[in-house]
């Protein structure tokens, strides 16, 4: 069996799907590079590695319905600091969105657009820096203030996702600046 896909960079890729291969060792090898998906792209990968290809039974029985038009919850924070009734309603909306969706979009939060843009620029600077510097931050230890890795569920999911992730824990205790990469240190706290 052969899976065919086209990436957003318009590279057509074909990879054979083998059910019995050394998946665990390939996952470990990928993780041990500490370069993530961007490392594969930077190395000029010509074929999607098997760890990213879903097993064939996932093709025949998709988990997602064909209708992919979603209406994500949007939480409006306007007035929650001055109107106790609005605050209580908003808390209920957050609870509902968290329980039923697991995420939501927040508007009227008061964070200036320039701060949000600097956070995006900081993330971009992190990903575009020298690979050897990024490797210093690659970890699966989620207790660290700053975590960079590829696929938080890499060793549990049936197929890896074509993504790398960074996250920063800033509450309940803000990290020391030294616990964050220099490229995004002040955009994060």
């Amino acid at each position: 069996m052969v899976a065919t896909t086209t990436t957003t960079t318009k590279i057509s890729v074909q990879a054979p799907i083998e059910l019995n291969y050394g998946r665990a060792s390939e996952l470990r090898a990928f993780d041990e590079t500490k370069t993530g998906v961007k490392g594969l792209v930077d190395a000029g990968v010509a074929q999607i590695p098997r760890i990213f290809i879903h097993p064939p039974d996932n093709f025949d029985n998709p988990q997602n319905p064909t209708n992919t038009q979603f209406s994500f919850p949007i939480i409006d924070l306007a007035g929650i600091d001055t109107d106790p009734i609005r605050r209580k309603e908003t808390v209920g909306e957050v609870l509902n969105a968290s329980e039923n969706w697991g995420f939501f979009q927040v508007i009227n939060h008061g964070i200036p657009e320039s701060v949000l843009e600097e956070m995006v620029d900081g993330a971009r600077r992190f990903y575009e820096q020298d690979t050897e510097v990024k490797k210093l931050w690659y970890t699966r230890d989620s207790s660290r203030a700053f975590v960079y890795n590829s696929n938080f569920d890499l060793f549990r999911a049936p197929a890896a996702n074509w993504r790398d992730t960074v996250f920063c824990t800033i509450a309940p205790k803000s990290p020391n600046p030294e616990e964050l990469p220099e490229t995004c240190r002040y955009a994060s706290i």
Side-chain angles (χ1 to χ4, degrees):
M1 177 180 274
V2 174
T4 303
T5 186
T6 304
T7 66
T8 55
T9 55
K10 299 185 187 208
I11 300 170
S12 181
V13 181
Q14 290 189 336
I17 298 173
E18 298 174 33
L19 299 178
N20 297 316
Y21 73 97
R23 179 170 169 70
S25 62
E26 286 190 20
L27 288 169
R28 277 192 306 279
F30 170 73
D31 199 48
E32 288 171 2
T33 68
K34 297 184 175 191
T35 62
V37 171
K38 186 163 184 334
L40 294 173
V41 172
D42 289 348
V45 67
Q47 192 172 23
I48 302 293
R50 291 178 288 191
I51 63 172
F52 295 97
I53 299 173
H54 284 266
D57 36 326
N58 288 355
F59 296 145
D60 297 332
N61 190 10
Q63 293 178 346
N64 296 330
T66 55
N67 180 4
T68 57
Q69 303 244 337
F70 296 110
S71 177
F72 299 112
I74 298 174
I75 310 295
D76 188 347
L77 299 183
I80 66 166
D81 55 340
T82 58
D83 182 350
I85 294 171
R86 179 70 193 121
R87 181 181 179 93
K88 185 175 181 173
E89 289 172 347
T90 303
V91 168
E93 291 172 7
V94 169
L95 176 65
N96 182 27
S98 298
E99 287 178 339
N100 295 308
W101 285 86
F103 59 91
F104 49 87
Q105 179 182 355
V106 178
I107 60 172
N108 295 318
H109 42 65
I111 300 172
E113 191 170 327
S114 61
V115 172
L116 298 174
E117 288 172 0
E118 177 54 26
M119 290 178 75
V120 170
D121 290 344
R124 185 175 296 116
R125 286 189 303 269
F126 175 81
Y127 281 114
E128 291 176 353
Q129 70 185 332
D130 182 75
T131 300
E132 294 305 313
V133 176
K134 282 190 301 194
K135 284 182 177 183
L136 300 172
W137 298 98
Y138 195 95
T139 184
R140 297 228 162 258
D141 179 0
S142 60
S143 69
R144 288 185 41 187
F146 185 88
V147 174
Y148 158 56
N149 63 38
S150 185
N151 291 262
F152 69 92
D153 60 352
L154 182 66
F155 296 100
R156 295 183 310 272
N161 290 296
W162 192 258
R163 69 161 180 247
D164 294 333
T165 302
V166 295
F167 71 86
C168 177
T169 304
I170 59 169
K173 177 183 162 278
S174 292
N176 293 323
E178 305 80 44
E179 295 177 282
L180 304 172
E182 190 173 338
T183 55
C184 54
R185 184 169 290 163
Y186 296 105
S188 303
I189 55 174

